[in-house]
Amino acid sequence: MKLFKKITFTALAAVFAVTASFAGAASAAGSLSGKITINGSTALLPLTLQAAKEFQRLNPKVRIAASGKGSVTGPQAVKKGIADIGACDWDASIDVPGFKAFSGQVANKVAVIPFATIVNKNVGVDNLTTEQLRGIYSGKITNWKQVGGADADIVVITRAFGSGTRVNYQAKALAGGDIVKKEKNYKETGSSGDMKTAVATTPNAIGYIDLVYVSGDVKAVKHNGVAPTTQNVINGSYKVWAYGYYMTKGQPTGAVKAFIDYVQSKKFQQGSLKKLKFIPISAMK
Amino acid sequence: MKKNQWLSVLMASALLVSVSEASVSAAAGTGGGKPAAVKSSAKTAVKVKEGSAALTVNGALHTIKTIDAGGYRLYSVRQLAAALDAGLTTEAGSLVLTDNAGVHTIKLKAGSKAYTLDGVKRSFTTAPTVFGGKLYVELSSTVYGLGGELFGSPLQILGVARPQGEFDTIHWTADGSLLANREGEATEIYKFAPSPGSYSLFSTDSRAADFSVSDDRRFGAFTDETGQLLVIDLISGAVKPVGTDTSVKTDLTWSADGKTIYFIQGDKQEKISQISVDTGTVTELLADKVENKSELRVSADGKKAVYIINITGTAKNDADSTEDSLTVDYSKAGEQLYQLDLSVKDAKPAALTTSGDNKLYPEILADGTVVYLSADPDGKAPNTLKTLKPGGTFAEIPLDIEVVWAQEGAGGLIASGTASDGTARIYAVTTAGASKELFRTNRGISEIAVSGDGAKLGVISDGKVLEIENGKAVQLTK
């Protein structure tokens, strides 16, 4: 069982045996206290909460309060001063399609996030090309038979504007293609969980989601013939992925820096982060 | 022994001539099989003092003959080799020392500072020296050369050096060994027997860098990056999958009988489930759609579960995600303890706490008392251990430390923290709240493992592995 708490010491002697009466000057470390507030990406929220739990064991007096409302709200919250860290699925310190850079903010890489195209389990299609996906999300392709499936209307599920998953999916899976709002067979969702639920419960639906959220109630399809797997992301064959970032107002300091350092540490990256099905940032060459 | 005595020895290259204390000199021989000779009247004469040293070698006391010459103490090579259980042979005029595992070889000649270690040329400070018909060698060069280690005062020697480095993630095993992971690029889990220098590399499986240990310390459970649950045999190191479910699983917790593993399930940690270790069958125990569960604990009788829900803040904005519309309310964010009655089908969880303190390390004691560490996020009050009796009464366990960690063990609770004098202390705490100090140190303590019978502690202190019994610590790494 881990204590995690580190206590620094001022005296150190390389001795073989020490006894219960061994005493000396030592100082308490892990003495950080205060509150760290984090808002933004719902995709990064499970990672943030897991890291918060582990970091709190190192620093019991630190309160980490997190919330998720889509990536763009991360740097927005930092800019407004209502969060210390903005969790965002893109580097918000630079311009990306649809969003201007948040000047003065620093992007701290924390994870690699693969995204997958998912369909309802009644859909017979197993692979979609970039062009086919551009057609589906632009509204030019409306029936599954146009891409090798059954004769059934395609129900397009997308994330709402401001979602990092949407930004990255448009950039990587659609190669910059548009997502066009439609009058029918179209739905926008506000979170990764809502997206999965919508696709899982809507026959003939298509959507997209972080790979971590793919489970047996939806079907992940190949992209240009390549399966969305961690291995294919790492070996470079699967292109629909992005870094996840913690945005901060300038370089992080104090408890915020200590928390980001912990998330970026080998211990967390190779341990809990992988078990939550994210990919360590060091895995990408 | 006589003064000015001429000696010949088999490998001989040098000698000292002396009684218990005399003026002699040591000179390198020419080799070629002819014994060399040194006169005590030589200009480089040094005083030699014959004696003995009591050395603890691999935990056993040995008396080894020594000579002091030229400011250096040399040790009987035969006695030293015997104590280290090292091989001692001759080969082409050289003396050959081989460690017990056959890994390291020292080839030396009496009177020659030059020697080879594993085939690489080295040099002694003082040449191996013959005195009274016996060969004496430098202690440290010989011990370290054979892969051993010297340390401490009084001096102790290990035939096999303790592993070096920063360690973390410590666990006890059923055979009384400690497992600890050496930090580094690759996973290296070492298995330590209680005596220093007795260890082996147990596993390099990165997936098993950390695991949840069964109550009998026989197995560890962990998941890989696919979500697959695996169990490692802590005696043999064998790893086997349990079931085929690949959903995200955290907070793995063994049942007391080792037949079931409970866990938080789902990519948003929204369920509590269990899996049969024998069949791999997964059973949902709670699927209330409440996310961010963690710190699952299950009572020894399997009837009660306690866990923490990390309540998130509430962010709101308009449909266009405009910056102006964004608000975040963190007023209710934080951890709260919940309890679930596992003996009642479809039981609803009950909130145990509503306070705003940080809550860590929940445990369920034998009498049903729930204990947790309470920390003030404002940093104004010291951390304390709080108890919640089955009847709903809260209390604090009085300890003279600021608690930083606690775990069920030894029939009660093991807790550690920092005292006002800065020392780190570990206490055993009974269910009635009585405490007994088990260990204190002025070093840092980062991890603690309690043995199955509660009699021993494994501790990571400043990255070093310590085994503690009856208040005495044995350092197993350096």
Side-chain angles (χ1 to χ4, degrees):
Chain A
M1 176 63 71
K2 289 183 185 314
L3 163 57
F4 285 107
K5 169 85 165 142
K6 285 272 188 185
I7 303 168
T8 57
F9 56 91
T10 56
L12 171 64
V15 295
F16 170 53
V18 289
T19 68
S21 61
F22 191 39
S27 61
S31 55
L32 289 172
S33 62
K35 294 176 181 174
I36 301 172
T37 49
I38 305 171
N39 180 60
S41 165
T42 56
L44 288 170
L45 189 56
L47 178 152
T48 296
L49 292 174
Q50 179 67 26
K53 181 175 71 175
E54 297 176 13
F55 183 77
Q56 214 169 45
R57 290 175 185 158
L58 284 161
N59 301 280
K61 293 181 189 296
V62 173
R63 161 69 54 82
I64 300 175
S67 54
K69 192 62 180 174
S71 279
V72 73
T73 68
Q76 283 176 342
V78 171
K79 183 180 176 185
K80 293 183 75 171
I82 55 177
D84 301 306
I85 294 174
C88 188
D89 295 354
W90 72 83
D91 180 352
S93 67
I94 58 175
D95 290 345
V96 297
F99 296 97
K100 288 286 185 186
F102 286 80
S103 63
Q105 294 198 17
V106 172
N108 305 273
K109 281 181 189 172
V110 294
V112 174
I113 312 172
F115 303 97
T117 301
I118 56 172
V119 295
N120 185 277
K121 290 178 76 173
N122 80 324
V123 174
V125 172
D126 295 319
N127 176 56
L128 289 165
T129 66
T130 300
E131 283 308 308
Q132 289 171 327
L133 287 170
R134 287 167 66 102
I136 290 170
Y137 277 95
S138 66
K140 292 174 182 170
I141 296 174
T142 58
N143 193 294
W144 282 111
K145 71 180 180 184
Q146 293 174 268
V147 291
D151 183 7
D153 287 343
I154 298 173
V155 180
V156 172
I157 315 286
T158 186
R159 289 287 303 278
F161 180 74
S163 155
T165 306
R166 173 171 168 153
V167 167
N168 285 300
Y169 192 76
Q170 274 189 259
K172 308 289 174 62
L174 307 185
D178 291 332
I179 296 177
V180 178
K181 192 175 283 190
K182 297 193 297 182
E183 290 300 316
K184 65 172 188 175
N185 294 329
Y186 178 89
K187 182 179 182 181
E188 291 186 358
T189 61
S191 70
S192 305
D194 290 346
M195 167 67 87
K196 186 169 77 169
T197 301
V199 173
T201 58
T202 308
N204 304 312
I206 184 170
Y208 51 88
I209 197 169
D210 308 64
L211 184 60
V212 64
Y213 295 134
V214 174
S215 56
D217 48 358
V218 294
K219 183 170 77 173
V221 299
K222 294 177 182 173
H223 182 250
N224 295 328
V226 181
T229 65
T230 297
Q231 192 54 43
N232 285 341
V233 172
I234 293 171
N235 68 27
S237 60
Y238 186 76
K239 308 294 185 185
V240 190
W241 63 272
Y243 286 109
Y245 296 88
Y246 280 171
M247 304 301 301
T248 54
K249 190 175 285 185
Q251 291 295 340
T253 59
V256 172
K257 181 180 187 305
F259 178 67
I260 294 174
D261 286 347
Y262 182 77
V263 174
Q264 294 175 332
S265 70
K266 176 176 177 282
K267 185 177 188 66
F268 184 75
Q269 292 275 316
Q270 297 298 327
S272 297
L273 181 139
K274 287 174 72 174
K275 292 179 190 299
L276 290 171
K277 300 188 179 181
F278 289 91
I279 300 174
I281 50 180
S282 63
M284 308 310 295
K285 305 300 181 191
Chain B
M1 191 162 300
K2 297 177 182 176
K3 285 183 178 180
N4 301 323
Q5 183 180 5
W6 294 81
L7 295 177
S8 309
V9 292
L10 174 65
M11 303 184 310
S13 309
L15 53 83
L16 290 173
V17 182
S18 175
V19 286
S20 61
E21 186 168 333
S23 293
V24 297
S25 66
T30 56
K34 250 187 172 179
V38 178
K39 285 187 176 179
S40 64
S41 58
K43 287 182 178 178
T44 55
V46 293
K47 286 187 174 181
V48 172
K49 185 177 181 181
E50 190 178 18
S52 64
L55 302 177
T56 301
V57 183
N58 294 330
L61 190 63
H62 293 262
T63 301
I64 294 178
K65 289 188 175 180
T66 63
I67 57 170
D68 293 345
Y72 291 95
R73 175 167 290 181
L74 303 180
Y75 294 75
S76 164
V77 70
R78 289 193 181 280
Q79 290 183 315
L80 192 56
L84 292 167
D85 200 19
L88 186 61
T89 58
T90 58
E91 179 184 304
S94 293
L95 193 68
V96 181
L97 283 158
T98 307
D99 73 298
N100 181 258
V103 175
H104 300 291
T105 300
I106 296 173
K107 290 184 181 179
L108 58 85
K109 289 184 178 179
S112 172
K113 289 184 177 179
Y115 71 103
T116 64
L117 170 60
D118 300 334
V120 178
K121 289 181 180 177
R122 300 287 183 95
S123 180
F124 290 116
T125 303
T126 303
T129 302
V130 174
F131 180 80
K134 293 183 173 62
L135 185 64
Y136 292 81
V137 294
E138 289 180 357
L139 180 65
S140 60
S141 299
T142 306
V143 172
Y144 284 121
L146 293 174
E149 180 189 355
L150 303 92
F151 58 91
S153 180
L155 188 63
Q156 300 187 61
I157 296 172
L158 297 176
V160 179
R162 295 169 295 174
Q164 192 167 6
E166 297 283 315
F167 286 78
D168 62 19
T169 316
I170 191 167
H171 299 291
W172 284 96
T173 66
D175 61 0
S177 301
L178 274 170
L179 294 175
N181 183 37
R182 182 159 68 179
E183 295 178 7
E185 287 305 310
T187 298
E188 290 181 326
I189 303 171
Y190 284 86
K191 190 169 192 174
F192 298 90
S195 56
S198 180
Y199 67 93
S200 60
L201 183 60
F202 176 69
S203 175
T204 57
D205 189 336
S206 62
R207 301 169 304 171
D210 196 8
F211 43 79
S212 170
V213 180
S214 61
D215 280 10
D216 63 3
R217 274 64 173 172
R218 182 69 200 277
F219 298 101
F222 59 95
T223 58
D224 65 15
E225 61 267 32
T226 71
Q228 172 67 53
L229 178 67
L230 301 114
V231 167
I232 183 170
D233 186 320
L234 299 183
I235 306 301
S236 69
V239 174
K240 70 169 186 177
V242 177
T244 57
D245 182 84
T246 55
S247 59
V248 171
K249 303 174 189 68
T250 63
D251 300 85
L252 306 178
T253 303
W254 289 82
S255 65
D257 62 8
K259 294 180 178 177
T260 301
I261 298 171
Y262 302 92
F263 55 94
I264 304 292
Q265 185 180 22
D267 45 43
K268 291 184 179 295
Q269 285 89 52
E270 67 272 19
K271 300 175 187 174
I272 296 175
S273 299
Q274 67 179 42
I275 187 168
S276 164
V277 176
D278 291 334
T279 67
T281 303
V282 175
T283 306
E284 283 185 7
L285 301 173
L286 177 66
D288 59 357
K289 298 184 179 178
V290 177
E291 299 172 354
N292 310 321
K293 298 182 174 75
S294 68
E295 304 282 4
L296 176 65
R297 302 288 186 274
V298 177
S299 59
D301 61 10
K303 293 181 178 177
K304 187 162 72 174
V306 167
Y307 58 95
I308 283 175
I309 292 177
N310 191 332
I311 297 167
T312 60
T314 303
K316 292 181 179 176
N317 61 0
D318 60 20
D320 295 326
S321 293
T322 61
E323 188 176 306
D324 287 344
S325 69
L326 179 64
T327 61
V328 187
D329 178 6
Y330 291 116
S331 62
K332 293 178 181 168
E335 303 98 8
Q336 299 300 346
L337 273 167
Y338 281 75
Q339 180 174 297
L340 180 66
D341 188 343
L342 298 176
S343 65
V344 177
K345 185 174 171 54
D346 298 327
K348 302 295 181 192
L352 297 179
T353 60
T354 56
S355 55
D357 53 339
N358 289 343
K359 301 170 187 71
L360 300 92
Y361 306 115
E363 294 288 351
I364 307 172
L365 302 184
D367 67 352
T369 299
V370 175
V371 184
Y372 63 96
L373 188 157
S374 170
D376 175 14
D378 294 326
K380 294 174 182 172
N383 308 336
T384 57
L385 280 179
K386 287 191 174 177
T387 61
L388 175 57
K389 295 290 183 184
T393 307
F394 282 94
E396 285 188 8
I397 297 176
L399 291 172
D400 61 355
I401 54 172
E402 177 162 30
V403 183
V404 294
W405 172 86
Q407 182 193 319
E408 186 273 336
L413 203 66
I414 305 294
S416 77
T418 311
S420 58
D421 65 357
T423 56
R425 302 181 188 182
I426 303 174
Y427 285 92
V429 183
T430 68
T431 53
S435 61
K436 175 189 174 188
E437 184 177 316
L438 301 177
F439 180 67
R440 76 166 67 174
T441 178
N442 66 342
R443 300 181 181 191
I445 293 176
S446 58
E447 296 186 27
I448 299 170
V450 184
S451 65
D453 60 4
K456 296 180 182 178
L457 299 174
V459 168
I460 302 290
S461 176
D462 185 32
K464 309 296 182 286
V465 178
L466 305 181
E467 180 179 318
I468 298 167
E469 186 173 20
N470 296 324
K472 185 174 181 180
V474 175
Q475 186 173 320
L476 302 178
T477 63
K478 61 177 180 177

